[in-house]
Amino acid sequence: MRMSKMFFKTLREDPSEAEIASHKLLLRGGFIKKSASGIYSYMNLGYRVIRKIEQIVREEMDSHDAQEINMSAVQPRELWEESGRWDTFGPEMFKLKDRNDREFCLAPTAEEFFTDLIRSDVNSYKKLPINIYQIKTKYRDEKRPRFGINRAREFLMKDAYSFDKTQEDMVASYKNMWEAYENIYDRLELDYRIVRGDSGAIGGNESHEFTALSDVGEGVITYCDSCDFSATDEKAEVAYNYDNSNEDIKELEKVETKGVKTIDDLAKLLKVDKDRCLKAVDLMVKGERIVVFIPGSRELNLTKLIKHLGCAEHEIEMMGDEDIKSMGSFPGYTGPIGLKADRLIADERVKNIKNAIIGANEENYHYMNYNISDNEKFEFVDDLLMIAEGDVCPKCGGKLEFKRGIEVGNIFQLGQKYSKSMKATFLDENGKDEYFWMGCYGVGISRTVSAIVEQNNDEKGIIWPISSCPYEAIVTIVNVKDEEQNKLAEEIYQKLLAEKVEVLLDDRAERAGVKFNDRDLIGIPLRITVGKLASEGKVEYSTRREMENEEIDASEAINKIIAYIKERKNNRG
Ligand code: ATP
Ligand code: MG
């Protein structure tokens, strides 16, 4: 592509709304354009990156026996009613009506749609297994769209669905996709970890997330340095073992705690461990006042609570002051004694806390020496805690490492969740109706672009790996008014094109400095600069990552580029 003819515009300054490197650089480099909050369009450079990633995903899916189809993005309400997700998806779903008032949504994902397809067309075990996928724009009205295409409201996802006749076969399909995903993220040259995840709104049994390591990632993953334990922080079991149960039970005592705002203040004032103070979390869930008690040193894990309650995330709200007062309590002083909540829930392990400190449901007062033991007012739940730095491995007691990451893909064993709710059956080998065993597998194609940029940039711009670069090489003419420079650059450009190298020719009538800055910003991996040495047939050759210039013959520079690309392609395994 001749850049003099290319529709593209780079920005000098960082756009003010962009907080992270990938968001800034993709906007500045003219890869994407914002049209509304969380809604982006792709320009030439950005769309080429998307297509490269799509191609890698396609090749790996196809070589793992999956077939690509393309389902409509507009889906009827009725299908979502069958699975119960029309409501549980909540405000994240973009809903619309046609002129006859029939309701639809813009697909946020497609489990229902694919299940419906298979239940109507597949009736015998003989046709199984089936694995079908699409690469399709998804729509989610995210509560907090942020970081550009990292958490967008319109984004590109590859979603695959497998249908098997037995649970065993489902697990085999899962492993097959696991392997495809390892190949995909290896080929994309990402530094990633595979961790056990939460099944969230999708539901089901086992799931894993593929997480690209990045300090700006919204997800936290934890893994053990001595065994194979690894999980997202939402999923990780917490080995919490504070236990003072050998203490003698003391008498309940009301104490004044004026001005105490936090558990820290409370523990300091009463000179006790934070673990000994019960933290009350006041929640409103579908009109029910639910109070959850956990040890004061810990945070509530909402994902685990949601699983216990069987509700959707958007149905949980913090209780307002008036609701707290309606339980006969006072904000900041909620405690179990005499509390008129609709449900009292506690992490099982608070039973081991003797002589605990609790709110007295009265402003400025707490009780000391409360003993919960097996109080039947409580629903005890095995584990409601968020894992935290310093916790030991729940599997082997080893040391846990914590890292931030960007979830770029995930795989789920859905089991028969959707096939049962949607009555999707086939005839098994004995002629009996059986529900399909399903799995689903997502790759966030557009989010992957931002993860790659997060892992590959410097102060000057993006450094694309060869596997996902918009163009492999760029030939820059320092002075387009110079005949010799133009002639040599043109020759090089033609030769590279003939070798099927994806090459840009910067033949714009711009100052050299502008061209060099743009070149660094858009991060083309292999570079040839045609300048003053053109009369001797020499050029400067450099790579974007190393940025070291070599003055060599034009033919040698061409050969280097061809060899580099060939070697990388051969190495991709
Ligand atoms: P998250 O926890 O980040 O919201 P999710 O669990 O909702 O993700 P899935 O529904 O499993 O995500 O979607 C599959 C993949 O699509 C994710 O792994 C992620 O890479 C991508 N994805 C999900 N939501 C978005 C979004 N709002 N913008 C860009 N990519 C997304
Ligand atoms: Mg989500």
Side-chain angles (χ1 to χ4, degrees):
M1 174 93 222
R2 288 172 201 281
M3 289 176 77
S4 58
K5 302 222 164 95
M6 187 162 123
F7 167 53
F8 113 113
K9 186 175 170 211
T10 53
L11 308 172
R12 281 246 180 98
E13 306 291 327
D14 281 337
S16 59
E17 84 257 28
E19 298 165 75
I20 63 171
S22 59
H23 191 190
K24 284 180 197 161
L25 294 173
L26 289 167
L27 281 171
R28 272 188 54 205
F31 291 80
I32 56 172
K33 279 240 186 300
K34 178 178 168 181
S35 52
S37 162
I39 303 192
Y40 290 86
S41 308
Y42 292 87
M43 300 297 105
N44 170 30
L45 295 175
Y47 196 47
R48 287 180 73 96
V49 174
I50 289 277
R51 291 208 308 262
K52 283 259 172 82
I53 300 174
E54 278 185 1
Q55 190 52 28
I56 289 176
V57 169
R58 255 186 205 113
E59 284 171 16
E60 292 302 330
M61 292 302 291
D62 293 353
S63 67
H64 284 81
D65 297 328
Q67 310 151 57
E68 185 171 7
I69 63 173
N70 189 347
M71 303 283 277
S72 55
V74 180
Q75 301 183 354
R77 170 179 179 150
E78 294 74 29
L79 281 180
W80 288 81
E81 288 286 0
E82 283 189 55
S83 69
R85 287 210 294 180
W86 183 260
D87 291 324
T88 55
F89 229 96
E92 232 180 65
M93 192 185 251
F94 278 106
K95 295 175 176 166
L96 57 143
K97 281 186 187 166
D98 71 7
R99 65 179 70 205
N100 299 316
D101 264 356
R102 190 168 168 207
E103 288 183 275
F104 296 88
C105 68
L106 292 178
T109 171
E111 283 76 14
E112 286 79 356
F113 222 22
F114 276 71
T115 307
D116 180 53
L117 178 73
I118 294 299
R119 87 176 153 187
S120 62
D121 286 0
V122 177
N123 50 21
S124 160
Y125 74 94
K126 287 183 199 149
K127 295 191 177 157
L128 300 176
I130 291 173
N131 186 333
I132 36 181
Y133 74 98
Q134 63 177 350
I135 296 178
K136 185 97 184 168
T137 303
K138 301 288 182 306
Y139 298 87
R140 292 185 190 174
D141 198 355
E142 295 275 352
K143 194 169 180 187
R144 288 187 68 202
R146 60 198 294 228
F147 298 159
I149 56 172
N150 196 298
R151 182 168 297 284
R153 299 197 294 164
E154 180 185 81
F155 59 96
L156 191 61
M157 193 208 287
K158 185 283 298 175
D159 45 330
Y161 305 86
S162 64
F163 297 83
D164 278 291
K165 60 183 192 297
T166 62
Q167 183 166 17
E168 250 186 333
D169 287 3
M170 170 189 76
V171 173
S173 292
Y174 187 77
K175 289 199 177 128
N176 184 39
M177 284 293 103
W178 178 305
E179 196 182 289
Y181 274 44
E182 283 185 320
N183 293 352
I184 289 169
Y185 298 112
D186 286 347
R187 284 179 64 182
L188 290 170
E189 300 166 69
L190 277 170
D191 182 11
Y192 68 97
R193 298 282 183 282
I194 305 170
V195 292
R196 273 191 73 204
D198 179 71
S199 317
I202 291 188
N205 320 317
E206 190 75 89
S207 80
H208 284 86
E209 294 183 0
F210 288 70
T211 300
L213 299 184
S214 161
D215 291 341
V216 300
E218 291 183 282
V220 173
I221 59 169
T222 175
Y223 48 90
C224 178
D225 71 356
S226 22
C227 77
D228 65 353
F229 174 81
S230 70
T232 59
D233 60 346
E234 292 169 333
K235 176 80 181 185
E237 305 96 308
V238 174
Y240 176 77
N241 48 20
Y242 179 87
D243 192 344
N244 65 347
S245 50
N246 54 0
E247 272 182 27
D248 291 334
I249 288 185
K250 295 186 194 146
E251 208 170 309
L252 195 69
E253 181 189 342
K254 194 167 175 182
V255 285
E256 191 178 343
T257 51
K258 197 163 179 198
V260 160
K261 291 262 177 320
T262 63
I263 297 268
D264 272 333
D265 298 343
L266 183 65
K268 258 189 215 131
L269 180 75
L270 300 177
K271 299 193 178 58
V272 294
D273 285 340
K274 279 203 286 181
D275 295 84
R276 197 192 276 253
C277 308
L278 286 198
K279 185 188 272 185
V281 187
D282 304 315
L283 300 170
M284 203 66 171
V285 184
K286 293 191 274 186
E288 265 193 324
R289 295 163 307 177
I290 298 183
V291 181
V292 185
F293 291 93
I294 55 172
S297 63
R298 308 301 308 217
E299 295 299 325
L300 175 65
N301 183 320
L302 216 50
T303 307
K304 292 176 183 173
L305 180 69
I306 287 168
K307 193 158 265 170
H308 174 71
L309 295 175
C311 67
E313 186 175 347
H314 68 93
E315 290 169 333
I316 299 193
E317 287 170 315
M318 293 305 290
M319 229 186 254
D321 288 358
E322 287 314 306
D323 297 317
I324 296 177
K325 288 180 187 162
S326 79
M327 301 188 295
S329 185
F330 194 87
Y333 294 87
T334 309
I337 297 179
L339 187 68
K340 294 191 292 266
D342 298 304
R343 281 167 87 173
L344 290 181
I345 296 177
D347 185 278
E348 181 80 25
R349 282 137 326 163
V350 301
K351 282 183 192 167
N352 297 332
I353 307 173
K354 269 207 183 151
N355 302 321
I357 317 294
I358 54 168
N361 295 322
E362 189 180 317
E363 191 177 11
N364 297 333
Y365 285 94
H366 279 80
Y367 282 112
M368 290 178 71
N369 307 328
Y370 172 74
N371 286 285
I372 194 168
S373 62
D374 290 314
N375 196 323
E376 77 248 3
K377 279 195 301 189
F378 283 92
E379 285 166 54
F380 289 104
V381 181
D382 280 351
D383 180 7
L384 288 173
L385 306 184
M386 197 72 187
I387 198 147
E389 302 254 2
D391 279 342
V392 296
C393 171
K395 210 165 148 186
C396 78
K399 187 170 178 299
L400 287 180
E401 299 280 346
F402 288 79
K403 284 230 156 80
R404 298 198 79 84
I406 299 169
E407 181 196 318
V408 285
N410 52 29
I411 54 178
F412 296 90
Q413 289 177 21
L414 294 172
Q416 296 176 315
K417 177 178 152 82
Y418 291 91
S419 55
K420 279 192 174 154
S421 63
M422 297 181 67
K423 300 193 181 54
T425 59
F426 62 94
L427 288 178
D428 71 9
E429 286 162 55
N430 306 315
K432 274 193 12 216
D433 273 337
E434 167 71 338
Y435 295 105
F436 291 99
W437 287 89
M438 292 173 55
C440 74
Y441 317 92
V443 171
I445 305 246
S446 43
R447 183 181 284 181
T448 298
V449 177
S450 77
I452 293 170
V453 177
E454 284 303 328
Q455 289 188 359
N456 296 280
N457 72 77
D458 63 13
E459 67 289 345
K460 288 177 185 279
I462 302 173
I463 308 170
W464 290 107
I466 205 88
S467 49
S468 54
C469 58
Y471 288 89
E472 293 159 332
I474 181 165
V475 179
T476 307
I477 308 173
V478 172
N479 178 5
V480 287
K481 292 192 188 122
D482 182 311
E483 269 308 305
E484 275 173 327
Q485 290 185 24
N486 272 318
K487 192 162 157 271
L488 183 61
E490 185 69 30
E491 262 173 48
I492 297 169
Y493 178 58
Q494 293 302 339
K495 280 194 180 139
L496 289 172
L497 283 179
E499 290 289 339
K500 304 252 176 322
V501 174
E502 298 166 15
V503 59
L504 282 174
L505 176 67
D506 197 349
D507 56 347
R508 292 177 298 164
E510 292 280 359
R511 283 187 296 111
V514 171
K515 296 191 199 180
F516 292 153
N517 285 343
D518 278 349
R519 178 171 85 170
D520 291 345
L521 176 62
I522 65 176
I524 307 302
L526 307 169
R527 313 132 39 116
I528 289 178
T529 314
V530 183
K532 289 211 175 86
L533 298 171
S535 54
E536 300 165 37
K538 284 193 187 303
V539 298
E540 281 178 11
Y541 168 80
S542 62
T543 60
R544 171 65 181 87
R545 206 172 283 278
E546 281 82 25
M547 303 260 252
E548 282 159 14
N549 282 321
E550 273 181 83
E551 285 177 5
I552 51 178
D553 283 339
S555 56
E556 198 186 336
I558 294 171
N559 288 340
K560 271 182 180 265
I561 288 179
I562 295 167
Y564 187 99
I565 293 169
K566 202 163 161 196
E567 190 197 317
R568 296 307 297 258
K569 287 196 172 142
N570 287 343
N571 276 350
R572 70 163 173 72

